Amino acid sequence: MSLRSEIFEQPEVLARLMDVQMKDVERTARSLKKRKIDFIFLAARGTSDNAGLYAKYLWGAYNQLPIALAAPSLFSVYKKPPCLTNALVVGISQSGKSPDILSVIDEANRQGTPTLAITNDPRSHLAKTSEFMINTSAGPEKAVAATKTYTTQLLAVAMLSIALKGDKKRLSELQGLPEMVENALKLDPAVEQAAERHRNMEKCVILGRGYNYCTAYEWSLKLKELVYIFAQPYSSADFQHGPVAVISQGFFVLAVVPAGEIFKNMMGLLSDLVENRQVKLLAISNRQEALSLAQTSFPLPNDMSEWLSPLVSIVPAQLFCYHLTRSKGFDTEKPRGLSKITLTR
Amino acid sequence: MSLRSEIFEQPEVLARLMDVQMKDVERTARSLKKRKIDFIFLAARGTSDNAGLYAKYLWGAYNQLPIALAAPSLFSVYKKPPCLTNALVVGISQSGKSPDILSVIDEANRQGTPTLAITNDPRSHLAKTSEFMINTSAGPEKAVAATKTYTTQLLAVAMLSIALKGDKKRLSELQGLPEMVENALKLDPAVEQAAERHRNMEKCVILGRGYNYCTAYEWSLKLKELVYIFAQPYSSADFQHGPVAVISQGFFVLAVVPAGEIFKNMMGLLSDLVENRQVKLLAISNRQEALSLAQTSFPLPNDMSEWLSPLVSIVPAQLFCYHLTRSKGFDTEKPRGLSKITLTR
């Protein structure tokens, strides 16, 4: 039962990551500030790519850094990498073994561009060939579906963001994270019941925007990996540019809609979907207005900042996927057709 | 019947775009080469965003330019835009009216960063506020589902790529494009029959990689907009990092697999899906090996370069969506719940 225990380990591993690595991340931030960095070039796959999405918003909005998500095939298949002058190249990989991510780091090294690895294996090739490294320190992850390595990747992204800015206020907010995750885990019995009610769900769309765009993607990936549900993630804005057409009465819509800048915007869309298109809405939120609109709702801590919310909002989503997997009679530890490390080129 | 006539107009509008705008694009390229550009920051939504994906690969592989696809909400919702020093900011929009794309251009102007609009309306706000502009010159597009404005956006991206490099060989290859598209349109009766055989398809995955990653996305968007099919696009590499788990016997897989660098890699995955997971494969390709593997196949011109293939491979996909829409008894001109211009912020 690695999946369940790894979900429940999260308060502990998140606290440990801050404890053990913050000084090191601050040193890395000081070194990076001496470099000329116009933009971040970020390479990742799967769950790690979803952590990259969080970086795109957090480093973008808070550190004013534009983020280019790499097309690894330009390096590994086409062998025509872009010119990385004035970039910081970041590779995110739980195992540190994915060949296409390594090919991006290798090219950055050839071009003399600074590189940063975010990985759970400090002895991996990725860690060893990168100039800087954040060890997500989550301990071995045995379940095929990544959970604690995802949230620790998000935390690593947040720690670097704060260190680059030297922001004491955000740093102290971050200290409250393990407790928020602990509270989210208390939703477990309610989530189990909700999962039972979703036993017949075969497809769904998952909406998130801004900071929680990554949550929509990660929730969707977990539903596909574990429960074989055809789940499509969208930003609420992209969704309105075409995909909204697929929605018909009774369609399952899952939404991540915490208080914050995107709230009003998301609520406009969700109200329309519920009132005019009669969808079945499941909402993860810390605002009563959103929780009341939904047929099924998972409440989040009230006082959580939007920038920090992706580290908490994914937790009920993970529990939901776990219980739905069991409720459908599938194996939480051995999803069909997947292995822990995928060696794509 | 705007949709059908606009699909069939494509050889003509593509030829006209090259005729009318190439000199102007070459002037733009000369001006851009005098600027210091470390990376491209590109903003677009919906179909235009898929043209942006083509730019990510073509400008990346051929012009060595890293491409950051903008998160427009950082500008329009969070109002915390990244610092755009040494970027070229590109906005792609058929109408030139999308508020969130305009907010990216406005911010670039505030920061003094050069801007380029790719739009079908040279009198739009987008065109007027951008320093440089490529007019896709496709004529009015009346169908809600974009077809000729998509292929002309791709062509605009290709023309700028060639102009920046001064590549006479590619320029002459480009001259052959209208004829290739003309030939692809001759597949119409075969595509109509194939669409009839896919009448019961309710969901599918669409695989593409590299240059044709955009084709997978655009095909998927058209299937959602017009036929309300739950279609999910993937790069063959991302697909193997989790989503492959959703595949079971009889699942519909559509694939864009032209000859080129990605061919071997894609064929490995497709063979596995057909042989070990018994999927129903529809392939668009110019290689016999791929066409033979598929239950349904749309052959492309033999001598087409991979970098140019997205401008041709989307054509049978458009025809397929058109015929499937009719075959299912839906309205090709008025998809439910969509309007031509989506004013997201």
Side-chain angles (χ1 to χ4, degrees):
Chain A
M1 295 288 282
S2 302
L3 182 63
R4 185 175 173 83
S5 66
E6 284 163 8
I7 291 172
F8 277 83
E9 268 174 50
Q10 291 177 104
E12 187 194 324
V13 294
L14 292 167
R16 187 173 63 216
L17 171 53
M18 284 188 273
D19 250 23
V20 177
Q21 299 291 341
M22 196 66 211
K23 290 281 166 241
D24 209 38
V25 171
E26 282 166 352
R27 261 192 300 276
T28 297
R30 279 194 297 275
S31 302
L32 288 174
K33 277 154 76 176
K34 291 177 196 152
R35 308 292 183 94
K36 169 148 179 53
I37 296 172
D38 282 343
F39 67 107
I40 306 283
F41 193 82
L42 193 152
R45 287 277 186 206
T47 289
S48 305
D49 205 22
N50 299 336
L53 270 182
Y54 178 58
K56 181 168 171 173
Y57 286 84
L58 186 66
W59 294 349
Y62 189 62
N63 305 93
Q64 276 74 55
L65 286 164
I67 319 287
L69 298 179
S73 67
L74 291 183
F75 297 77
S76 59
V77 180
Y78 292 106
K79 304 199 191 315
K80 288 186 178 158
C83 171
L84 298 166
T85 309
N86 296 327
L88 166 67
V89 174
V90 178
I92 309 182
S93 167
Q94 180 272 129
S95 68
K97 289 189 177 65
S98 189
D100 40 12
I101 308 308
L102 291 172
S103 70
V104 176
I105 297 293
D106 288 348
E107 176 61 28
N109 286 332
R110 259 191 297 276
Q111 295 190 23
T113 308
T115 51
L116 165 69
I118 298 179
T119 178
N120 202 37
D121 184 354
R123 292 172 312 266
S124 63
H125 190 70
L126 179 67
K128 284 184 184 160
T129 53
S130 298
E131 185 177 352
F132 303 101
M133 195 255 296
I134 305 178
N135 176 356
T136 52
S137 312
E141 188 171 62
K142 286 178 189 153
V144 171
T147 54
K148 64 177 181 172
T149 57
Y150 173 68
T151 44
T152 50
Q153 285 171 352
L154 296 191
L155 179 55
V157 165
M159 285 162 65
L160 183 61
S161 166
I162 289 169
L164 284 168
K165 209 70 172 250
D167 186 325
K168 294 240 158 46
K169 186 172 162 289
R170 285 209 169 180
L171 187 58
S172 92
E173 271 193 83
L174 209 55
Q175 303 299 331
L177 174 67
E179 197 186 327
M180 288 188 216
V181 172
E182 194 72 61
N183 282 330
L185 287 168
K186 291 183 186 149
L187 293 168
D188 190 46
V191 172
E192 183 171 5
Q193 288 178 12
E196 191 54 47
R197 291 197 301 277
H198 285 77
R199 273 199 65 181
N200 298 322
M201 182 170 80
E202 288 187 350
K203 57 185 182 182
C204 62
V205 297
I206 308 188
L207 302 177
R209 199 176 176 192
Y211 291 117
N212 279 286
Y213 193 34
C214 62
T215 313
Y217 265 78
E218 177 59 10
W219 193 357
S220 153
L221 183 57
K222 288 284 127 11
L223 279 176
K224 281 181 275 205
E225 287 179 336
L226 285 166
V227 207
Y228 321 123
I229 285 178
F230 208 50
Q232 284 202 329
Y234 291 104
S235 101
S236 51
D238 288 328
F239 185 64
Q240 290 169 78
H241 281 263
V244 65
V246 302
I247 295 297
S248 53
Q249 196 177 339
F251 209 99
F252 285 100
V253 174
L254 318 186
V256 190
V257 51
E261 298 291 337
I262 54 88
F263 186 78
K264 202 179 140 196
N265 192 295
M266 283 279 290
M267 280 303 290
L269 172 62
L270 295 177
S271 305
D272 174 59
L273 290 174
V274 169
E275 286 154 23
N276 303 322
R277 301 186 196 224
Q278 286 82 44
V279 303
K280 289 183 194 143
L281 179 64
L282 187 169
I284 296 179
S285 180
N286 52 355
R287 283 282 295 273
Q288 197 49 53
E289 191 186 341
L291 299 170
S292 312
L293 182 70
Q295 290 189 307
T296 303
S297 56
F298 301 150
L300 294 176
N302 253 319
D303 52 348
M304 177 185 59
S305 292
E306 189 184 357
W307 68 269
L308 189 56
S309 65
L311 287 107
V312 186
S313 60
I314 191 62
V315 173
Q318 292 168 340
L319 290 171
F320 180 77
C321 296
Y322 167 78
H323 286 298
L324 197 57
T325 306
R326 286 170 55 93
S327 156
K328 291 208 178 205
F330 297 129
D331 187 340
T332 58
E333 306 308 309
K334 290 194 187 113
R336 69 185 182 213
L338 289 181
S339 54
K340 184 72 187 161
I341 302 168
T342 311
L343 299 177
T344 48
R345 282 182 192 278
Chain B
M1 297 287 284
S2 301
L3 182 62
R4 186 175 171 84
S5 66
E6 284 163 9
I7 292 172
F8 277 83
E9 267 173 49
Q10 290 177 108
E12 187 193 325
V13 295
L14 292 166
R16 188 172 63 216
L17 172 52
M18 284 187 273
D19 250 23
V20 177
Q21 300 291 340
M22 196 65 213
K23 290 280 167 240
D24 209 37
V25 171
E26 283 167 350
R27 262 192 301 275
T28 297
R30 279 195 297 274
S31 302
L32 288 174
K33 278 155 74 176
K34 292 176 195 152
R35 308 292 183 93
K36 170 152 178 48
I37 296 172
D38 282 344
F39 68 107
I40 306 282
F41 193 81
L42 193 152
R45 286 279 186 206
T47 289
S48 304
D49 205 23
N50 299 337
L53 270 182
Y54 179 58
K56 180 168 173 174
Y57 286 83
L58 187 65
W59 295 350
Y62 189 62
N63 305 94
Q64 275 75 54
L65 286 164
I67 320 286
L69 298 178
S73 68
L74 291 183
F75 298 76
S76 59
V77 180
Y78 292 105
K79 304 201 191 316
K80 288 186 178 157
C83 172
L84 298 166
T85 308
N86 296 328
L88 166 66
V89 174
V90 178
I92 310 183
S93 167
Q94 179 271 130
S95 68
K97 288 189 178 66
S98 189
D100 42 10
I101 308 310
L102 291 172
S103 70
V104 176
I105 298 293
D106 288 348
E107 176 61 28
N109 286 331
R110 260 191 297 277
Q111 294 190 23
T113 308
T115 51
L116 165 69
I118 298 179
T119 178
N120 202 36
D121 184 356
R123 292 171 313 266
S124 63
H125 190 70
L126 179 67
K128 283 182 183 162
T129 53
S130 298
E131 185 178 352
F132 303 101
M133 194 255 295
I134 304 179
N135 176 355
T136 51
S137 312
E141 188 171 62
K142 287 179 187 152
V144 170
T147 53
K148 65 177 181 171
T149 58
Y150 173 68
T151 45
T152 51
Q153 285 170 353
L154 296 190
L155 179 55
V157 165
M159 285 162 67
L160 182 61
S161 166
I162 290 169
L164 283 168
K165 214 54 177 261
D167 186 325
K168 293 239 158 48
K169 187 172 161 287
R170 286 208 170 182
L171 187 58
S172 92
E173 271 193 83
L174 208 55
Q175 303 298 331
L177 173 67
E179 196 186 327
M180 287 187 217
V181 173
E182 194 72 62
N183 282 332
L185 287 168
K186 290 183 186 148
L187 293 169
D188 190 47
V191 173
E192 182 172 5
Q193 287 178 12
E196 191 54 47
R197 290 197 302 277
H198 285 77
R199 274 200 64 182
N200 297 323
M201 182 171 79
E202 288 185 352
K203 58 186 181 180
C204 62
V205 297
I206 307 189
L207 302 177
R209 200 177 176 191
Y211 291 116
N212 279 287
Y213 193 33
C214 61
T215 312
Y217 266 78
E218 176 60 10
W219 193 357
S220 154
L221 183 58
K222 288 284 130 0
L223 279 176
K224 281 181 274 204
E225 288 180 334
L226 286 166
V227 207
Y228 321 123
I229 285 177
F230 209 50
Q232 283 202 330
Y234 291 103
S235 100
S236 51
D238 288 328
F239 186 65
Q240 290 169 81
H241 281 263
V244 64
V246 302
I247 295 297
S248 53
Q249 196 176 342
F251 209 99
F252 285 99
V253 174
L254 318 186
V256 190
V257 52
E261 297 292 335
I262 54 86
F263 186 79
K264 202 178 140 197
N265 192 296
M266 285 278 291
M267 281 304 290
L269 172 62
L270 295 178
S271 305
D272 173 59
L273 289 173
V274 168
E275 286 154 24
N276 302 323
R277 302 185 194 225
Q278 287 82 42
V279 304
K280 289 182 193 145
L281 179 65
L282 187 169
I284 297 180
S285 180
N286 53 354
R287 284 281 295 271
Q288 196 49 49
E289 191 185 341
L291 298 170
S292 312
L293 182 70
Q295 290 189 306
T296 303
S297 57
F298 301 151
L300 294 175
N302 252 320
D303 53 348
M304 177 184 60
S305 291
E306 188 184 358
W307 67 270
L308 188 55
S309 64
L311 287 107
V312 186
S313 59
I314 192 60
V315 174
Q318 292 168 339
L319 290 171
F320 180 76
C321 296
Y322 167 79
H323 286 298
L324 197 56
T325 307
R326 286 170 54 92
S327 154
K328 290 208 178 207
F330 297 128
D331 187 339
T332 58
E333 306 307 309
K334 289 192 187 115
R336 68 186 182 210
L338 289 182
S339 56
K340 183 72 186 163
I341 302 167
T342 310
L343 298 178
T344 47
R345 283 180 191 280

